Amino acid sequence: MAARRHGAIAVRVLAAVGGGYACTAAAVALLAALLALAGIPRGQAAVAAALSGFPLYLAVLLWGFTAPLTRVGTVLGATTAACALLAAWLAVPPASGS
């Protein structure tokens, strides 16, 4: 019984930490692309998006440890996929030299 409980805890930690990190990284990439498209210089957009990732990751971690595990997996997976696809679609190519 104890081994089963430890396994469930390990799965929840892996889902919250790993899935939360992937979701946050995809959301930060999307935010950086959106800020760059809004006219903010690319470097400043990247820094602003990266700084927003810290509280976002904390929120995702806290939610990941409190919500039902099936919901955590479903929501994090869908959100990560959606943010990553939108970020790739909106990615601004670097400005060409001359």
Side-chain angles (χ1 to χ4, degrees), residues 13-24 57 60 76-77 80:
V13 168
L14 182 64
V17 173
Y21 182 83
C23 184
T24 302
Y57 186 52
V60 169
L76 287 180
T80 301

Side-chain angles (χ1 to χ4, degrees), residues 2-97:
R4 184 178 174 127
R5 181 169 178 169
H6 291 314
I9 291 171
V11 168
R12 179 169 293 278
V13 168
L14 182 64
V17 173
Y21 182 83
C23 184
T24 302
V28 165
L30 176 60
L31 180 59
L34 288 171
L35 290 174
L37 284 175
I40 296 175
R42 289 173 58 98
Q44 291 177 1
V47 169
L51 287 175
S52 73
F54 293 109
L56 177 62
Y57 186 52
L58 175 63
V60 169
L61 274 178
L62 292 175
W63 173 78
F65 286 118
T66 59
L69 188 57
T70 54
R71 185 176 300 155
V72 170
T74 303
V75 170
L76 287 180
T79 304
T80 301
C83 287
L85 287 173
L86 282 172
W89 184 60
L90 294 174
V92 178
S96 40

